[in-house]
Amino acid sequence: MFTVNYNATISPDHVWLSNTTTGETVARKASRSFSSKNCLIADPETAALFLGDLLRELEGRRRWLRFFPTVNVTISGEPRAELDREDVKRLFTEQGFVRVKVT
């Protein structure tokens, strides 16, 4: 196994994700909203499906087979709710990231 590092920025209904090892990047607005007026991750299932799709697009079939993925996540703008940081960390952890730092 080897470590693969990612950087991500998340904002309401939008995620930017970059593999810092390969330099590949994807950024997209979700077709189905996962944010609300008061909460960045109001619909965790939709957010998970959206992030999973971005990861598959970025990594293809290589995804997680040999990787020890870590990610640094930036919340764009001010968090909308107290739990936004925890929700974002949980979202990325559930996608298989072993180390998640949210700023």
Side-chain angles (χ1 to χ4, degrees), residues 1-98:
M1 267 203 238
F2 59 93
T3 302
V4 176
N5 298 306
Y6 293 83
N7 286 325
T9 302
I10 188 166
S11 60
D13 299 326
H14 188 273
V15 175
W16 173 87
L17 184 65
S18 178
N19 179 324
T20 59
T21 305
T22 65
E24 295 180 64
T25 300
V26 293
R28 189 164 298 112
K29 181 173 175 58
S31 58
R32 270 184 53 199
S33 179
F34 60 80
S35 299
S36 71
K37 183 178 177 182
N38 300 319
C39 191
L40 184 60
I41 309 292
D43 185 347
E45 290 178 20
T46 300
L49 289 172
F50 178 64
L51 182 57
D53 288 345
L54 289 180
L55 287 165
R56 279 187 291 284
E57 181 180 332
L58 189 62
E59 297 301 334
R61 292 182 175 225
R62 303 176 304 203
R63 184 174 176 247
W64 315 130
L65 296 178
R66 309 174 292 266
F67 302 148
F68 182 74
T70 66
V71 64
N72 292 317
V73 183
T74 302
I75 296 175
S76 182
E78 291 296 316
R80 294 172 171 215
E82 243 180 76
L83 297 176
D84 279 351
R85 291 186 199 286
E86 292 173 30
D87 290 343
V88 168
K89 185 172 184 169
R90 186 177 312 107
L91 173 66
F92 280 87
T93 301
E94 289 173 356
Q95 290 297 317
F97 288 92
V98 295

